[in-house]
């Protein structure tokens, strides 16, 4: 029985792949299958720029359609009053939307309020994590979010290198080969992320963007696989180093989620401020357009396009700017949230 059990165990181990190669799909990390233009638009681009480009696109589309359709926009102005209908509705939308955004800001701030006991528990839990991080990294935990994440990434790379040195010359050649590839994989993940985190300023998206590139979940799976496949060949020091490597990778998950949550709160508060700033000129422009603009007030044409169409299109674009700000910020937040659904070592490959 013992011999057959050993044979079955050896057969199962032979069926487990020794190493997961870092293919193209894995190297893409949290970017998924998105193309570079899509990633730029959804994640990396400045949100004000995205809102501005979107608003300009609305203006161009309005002018193009209004100039091309028949009967023309000018003809409709003479026979009816589309401006009143359009901008009367836009004033209602801007006021309602601004109220909604203020409500969102209040909900974000509500999360920061609470009785003294709850605040003390939050502080105590945070200090416990900082102490654990200090024990793991060998130095006091950084207070800057980017530096804090960078310390964990560098610690994982250092532990992987120490593990490689520990198994060097092992009698188990497959163990040495697997650890060598594991170490290379950790370093390939850690080095670009560490470079991007160096000097990154919280409040911008750069910290969260860099953190998304570290594939800690997949690396944890590789560490577990090495521990399982080569359990009989590992020394006590090897197991200790594997445990420390797994610990640093495991801590990166909740640390990234905490920094991501703080960024979401920061971004939503910033969004509320920007929409409130944009709502005032949007209301003024909508009101002035509603009151004074018609075909007689804006005669003539520019480059074959009636001036009244350009004026009304520009006014319409200004009034939708608060909405475009909302879209640009929420697109980034939802994209990040979708691509970081699993904090545990599960690699999601959806779009």
């Amino acid at each position: 029985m013992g011999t057959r059990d050993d044979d079955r165990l050896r057969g199962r181990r032979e069926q487990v792949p020794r190493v997961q190669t870092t293919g193209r799909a894995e190297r893409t990390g949290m970017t998924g299958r998105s193309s570079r233009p899509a990633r730029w638009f959804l994640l990396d681009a400045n949100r004000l720029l995205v809102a501005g480009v979107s608003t300009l696109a609305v203006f161009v589309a309005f002018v193009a359609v209004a100039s091309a359709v028949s009967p023309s926009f000018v003809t409709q102005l003479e026979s009816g009053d589309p401006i009143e209908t359009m901008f009367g509705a836009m004033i209602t939308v801007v006021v309602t939307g601004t109220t909604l955004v203020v409500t969102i800001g209040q909900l974000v701030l509500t999360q920061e309020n609470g009785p003294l006991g709850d605040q003390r528990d939050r502080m105590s839990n945070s200090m416990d994590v900082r102490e654990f991080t200090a024990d793991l990294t060998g130095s006091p935990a950084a207070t800057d979010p980017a530096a804090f994440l960078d310390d964990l990434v560098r610690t994982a790379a250092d532990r992987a290198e120490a593990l490689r040195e520990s198994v060097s010359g092992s009698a188990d050649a497959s163990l040495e080969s697997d650890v060598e590839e594991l170490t290379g994989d950790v370093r390939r993940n850690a080095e670009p992320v560490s470079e991007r985190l160096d000097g990154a300023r919280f409040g911008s998206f750069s910290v969260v963007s860099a953190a998304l590139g570290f594939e800690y979940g997949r690396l944890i799976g590789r560490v577990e696989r090495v521990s399982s496949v080569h359990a009989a060949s590992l020394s006590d020091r090897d197991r200790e180093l594997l445990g420390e490597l797994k610990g640093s990778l495991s801590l990166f998950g909740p640390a990234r989620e905490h920094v991501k949550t703080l960024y979401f709160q920061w971004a939503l508060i910033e969004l509320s401020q920007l929409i409130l700033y944009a709502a005032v000129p949007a209301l003024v422009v909508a009101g002035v357009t509603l009151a004074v603009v018609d075909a007689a007030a804006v005669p003539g044409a520019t480059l074959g396009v009636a001036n009244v169409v350009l004026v009304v299109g520009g006014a319409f674009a200004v009034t939708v700017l608060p909405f475009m700000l909302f879209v640009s910020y929420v697109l980034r937040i939802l994209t990040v949230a979708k691509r970081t659904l699993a904090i545990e070592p599960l690699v999601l490959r959806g779009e």
Side-chain angles (χ1 to χ4, degrees), residues 331-347:
L331 271 178
R332 173 186 278 176
I333 290 173
L334 294 180
T335 301
V336 173
K338 180 180 179 181
R339 296 180 180 183
T340 56
L341 289 176
I343 189 175
E344 66 274 12
L346 293 177
V347 181

Side-chain angles (χ1 to χ4, degrees), residues 55-347:
T55 303
L56 179 61
V58 168
F59 169 74
V60 172
F62 179 90
V63 171
V65 174
S67 301
V69 297
S70 180
S72 68
F73 184 71
V74 176
T75 302
Q76 294 186 44
L77 283 179
E78 294 172 350
S79 60
D81 201 353
I83 291 180
E84 181 178 352
T85 303
M86 179 189 305
F87 287 94
M90 290 303 297
I91 290 175
T92 303
V93 169
V94 170
V95 172
T96 305
T98 302
T99 304
L100 175 61
V101 168
V102 171
T103 303
I104 294 175
Q106 290 175 338
L107 290 175
V108 174
L109 294 176
T110 299
Q111 299 178 14
E112 302 303 311
N113 300 328
L116 179 60
D118 292 346
Q119 301 295 347
R120 184 180 183 278
D121 289 341
R122 289 179 60 190
M123 186 65 174
S124 177
N125 292 335
S126 297
M127 295 307 296
D128 289 343
V129 173
R130 289 181 62 81
E131 291 177 5
F132 178 78
T133 303
D135 293 339
L136 185 66
T137 61
S139 61
T143 56
D144 178 73
F148 182 76
L149 294 175
D150 190 27
D151 286 345
L152 295 178
V153 170
R154 291 176 182 272
T155 298
D158 292 343
R159 294 297 185 275
E161 185 64 29
L163 176 64
R164 185 188 66 80
E165 294 175 357
S166 178
V167 302
S168 179
S170 171
D172 187 345
S174 63
L175 168 62
E176 186 173 357
S177 175
D178 284 357
V179 170
E180 181 73 28
E181 296 193 27
L182 171 62
T183 301
D185 199 2
V186 172
R187 297 195 71 87
R188 281 190 297 271
N189 269 266
E191 289 174 358
V193 172
S194 183
E195 290 176 1
R196 295 180 63 190
L197 286 172
D198 186 19
R201 180 177 59 86
F202 184 79
S204 66
F205 184 62
S206 56
V207 176
V208 178
S209 178
L212 294 180
F214 192 60
E215 302 177 58
Y216 69 91
R218 184 177 59 80
L219 294 173
I220 289 175
R222 295 196 63 177
V223 170
E224 292 174 340
R225 187 169 293 103
V226 169
S227 299
S228 174
V229 172
H230 302 288
S233 303
L234 294 170
S235 65
D236 292 340
R237 175 58 178 167
D238 296 338
R239 293 189 182 91
E240 179 183 354
L241 290 172
L242 277 169
E244 291 178 356
L245 174 57
K246 184 178 178 180
S248 60
L249 294 171
S250 300
L251 183 57
F252 185 87
R256 187 196 68 181
E257 290 302 300
H258 179 59
V259 172
K260 183 188 76 175
T261 301
L262 292 176
Y263 170 75
F264 283 174
Q265 294 175 333
W266 180 293
L268 289 173
I269 292 172
E270 187 178 62
L271 171 63
S272 300
Q273 292 175 317
L274 290 173
I275 289 183
L276 289 174
Y277 295 151
V280 175
L283 285 174
V284 172
V285 170
V288 170
T289 305
L290 181 61
V292 303
V293 175
D294 57 24
V298 189
T302 301
L303 299 177
V305 179
N307 288 336
V308 68
V309 174
L310 297 174
V311 170
V312 173
F316 180 68
V318 172
T319 57
V320 300
L321 178 58
F323 177 72
M324 291 305 174
L325 287 168
F326 179 81
V327 169
S328 66
Y329 272 80
V330 172
L331 271 178
R332 173 186 278 176
I333 290 173
L334 294 180
T335 301
V336 173
K338 180 180 179 181
R339 296 180 180 183
T340 56
L341 289 176
I343 189 175
E344 66 274 12
L346 293 177
V347 181

Side-chain angles (χ1 to χ4, degrees), residues 38-57:
R39 177 186 170 87
W40 178 87
F41 182 80
L42 293 173
L43 294 174
D44 297 331
N46 183 284
R47 295 298 92 185
L48 295 179
L49 177 60
V50 171
V53 170
S54 301
T55 303
L56 179 61

